[in-house]
Amino acid sequence: MEEYPNIKIETFDELVTKHTRRDLEELALKYGLENLGGTKSQLAEFILEAMKKQREPPKSSPQVSPKEASMSEKPKVAVKPAGFGKKGVLAKANAIENKTADLKKAGKEIRDEGIRDMTKAVKEFQAAGNTMSRNMHSEAQKMIEDGQKRFNQGQVEFKRSIDAQIKENLGAVGRLHSGAREIVSSQEKMSREFQKAGKSIRDEGYRNLQNGVAKFQSNINSQIKENNEAVSRLYSGARELQARAASFQNEIHKYQEQDLKNYVRDFYYG
């Protein structure tokens, strides 16, 4: 904060950081600034200058003696502008100056009109914002009240549903206990029937096993007998085959010793 005599003025950084754009616009209007355009930093500079100028102590006018006053208050004589004519360089320069003055005047009027329109638009925007804020607050309050009402109704319905569900659950628990007793009784009965059926199956299996073992032993004995007979026949056949093989071998030997030699001799020597 910059300190003046009995006055505290915010610095440029404080104006920019601590205030929103809308706050600065309201502050500018308060200090009589009509130009609300430019950036936030420029607006802060304009406000700071206006605050300094408004809070500066008025300068005391110098005292003038009556003689000096009488000498200074001389009748002003109207100076007639020099005529430049309608042609020539001076006439063109005068025309340019007049045109420039007209353009400056028109530009100032356009700027002033724009500032007034902008100020009016800002005020209308602020009024519309305030109206919209009030409407939104009213609608939000209505929504909150309606939501609270619906919530309370939902709580009542939820309590009713919970009570009904508890009652239904108690009935279901009673039916569940009754069903559990029936299941236990059925299981006991089924267990006894399974034990009885298992004993019958074991007895029947034991009898079938004994019969099967006896029959299997009989088949084994019969098979042993058949195998012995087959072995005897195989032994006889083997001796017969050995005799035939020996005879065949003798015939081959005889053929090699006699007939083959004679055949070879006759073939080569005729």
Side-chain angles (χ1 to χ4, degrees), residues 180-247:
R181 288 193 295 271
E182 292 179 0
I183 290 173
V184 172
S185 177
S186 299
Q187 286 180 343
E188 291 176 352
K189 182 179 179 181
M190 187 181 298
S191 177
R192 290 192 296 270
E193 291 178 354
F194 279 164
Q195 290 177 358
K196 183 179 179 180
K199 186 175 182 302
S200 299
I201 291 171
R202 288 195 301 273
D203 294 342
E204 183 68 22
Y206 182 74
R207 288 193 295 271
N208 292 333
L209 180 62
Q210 293 295 330
N211 295 332
V213 169
K215 186 175 181 180
F216 179 74
Q217 186 65 39
S218 176
N219 291 335
I220 289 294
N221 294 333
S222 176
Q223 187 65 42
I224 291 173
K225 183 178 179 180
E226 290 179 1
N227 290 342
N228 290 332
E229 293 176 355
V231 168
S232 177
R233 290 193 297 272
L234 287 174
Y235 182 72
S236 299
R239 284 185 297 178
E240 183 178 355
L241 287 174
Q242 289 177 354
R244 290 183 179 182
S247 175

Side-chain angles (χ1 to χ4, degrees), residues 9 41-42 46 61 69 78 91 116 137 142 231 242-243 245 255 270:
I9 300 177
S41 300
Q42 293 174 346
F46 297 153
S61 57
R116 287 191 295 272
H137 180 74
K142 290 180 181 179
V231 168
Q242 289 177 354
Y255 174 75

Side-chain angles (χ1 to χ4, degrees), residues 29-72:
L29 294 174
K30 179 180 178 181
Y31 284 98
L33 294 176
E34 295 182 354
N35 186 5
L36 304 180
T39 63
K40 186 177 178 182
S41 300
Q42 293 174 346
L43 188 57
E45 291 178 357
F46 297 153
I47 293 171
L48 190 60
E49 291 296 329
M51 292 169 66
K52 290 180 179 180
K53 288 180 180 180
Q54 185 171 346
R55 297 186 181 184
E56 283 179 355
K59 297 180 180 179
S60 59
S61 57
Q63 296 180 357
V64 183
S65 62
K67 183 178 179 180
E68 292 177 351
S70 61
M71 293 178 62
S72 62

Side-chain angles (χ1 to χ4, degrees), residues 122-175:
V122 169
K123 291 180 179 179
E124 292 176 353
F125 178 77
Q126 291 175 350
N130 294 332
T131 302
M132 184 174 64
S133 177
R134 288 193 297 270
N135 293 336
M136 290 178 64
H137 180 74
S138 177
E139 292 295 329
Q141 187 65 28
K142 290 180 181 179
M143 291 175 63
I144 292 172
E145 293 175 356
D146 184 65
Q148 185 65 36
K149 183 179 178 181
R150 292 176 182 272
F151 177 76
N152 293 335
Q153 292 178 352
Q155 288 289 96
V156 173
E157 294 295 331
F158 181 73
K159 183 66 169 56
R160 290 177 183 174
S161 300
I162 289 296
D163 293 340
Q165 187 65 44
I166 290 173
K167 184 177 180 180
E168 183 177 351
N169 290 343
L170 291 175
V173 168
R175 293 191 296 272

